[in-house]
Amino acid sequence: MTAESRYLRPPWGARVIGNRMAKLFARSVLSTLSVRGRKSGQWRKVPVAVLEHEGERYLIAPRGQTDWSRNLRAAGSGRLARKGRVEEFDAVEVPVAERPPLIEDYLSQFGKFPTVSETFRELPEPADHPTFRIVRHSA
């Protein structure tokens, strides 16, 4: 299996129950990412944790080559919603060589959440985790 295809499908409970519960109990941590589907063009939504690192913000895909990461790579932009505010942004993919300190910080901030640390143990290579820097649209 290549890094391009590495993906850990979340268990049923995490997909069906976990995402709904996360919206209720982790509002202070999670944002809702909206990105257009690379095939359908329809807006897709998923809860994500936004990493703040050295004055920049990042999205990291803990489960590997997720649909949202592939859609964001194709679209190059998306929307983040949190606490009633919506922000449009451009996404710049971070080169693999620059990902290790971001992943380390992501784990220190979010590794306590269910399955996060486990996914990085199962997919240990930085290339397995698409990572995007969030760049605000200029007005």
Side-chain angles (χ1 to χ4, degrees), residues 3 20 36 50 61 130 137:
R20 290 182 183 135
R36 288 199 182 270
V50 177
H137 279 317

Side-chain angles (χ1 to χ4, degrees), residues 62-128:
R63 294 194 161 276
Q65 300 294 329
T66 60
D67 278 333
W68 73 256
S69 67
R70 294 185 308 184
N71 288 339
L72 190 55
R73 183 179 292 127
S77 63
R79 296 179 185 150
L80 283 171
R82 185 165 177 218
K83 296 182 180 179
R85 294 176 48 192
V86 177
E87 166 192 9
E88 293 193 20
F89 69 94
D90 292 322
V92 177
E93 192 155 8
V94 175
V96 172
E98 296 174 21
R99 294 179 189 174
L102 299 172
I103 290 170
E104 182 179 325
D105 201 8
Y106 188 92
L107 284 168
S108 74
Q109 290 184 39
F110 307 117
K112 66 183 179 270
F113 292 101
T115 74
V116 172
S117 291
E118 178 184 324
T119 60
F120 283 94
R121 280 193 299 275
E122 290 185 47
L123 293 176
E125 297 301 319
D128 292 334

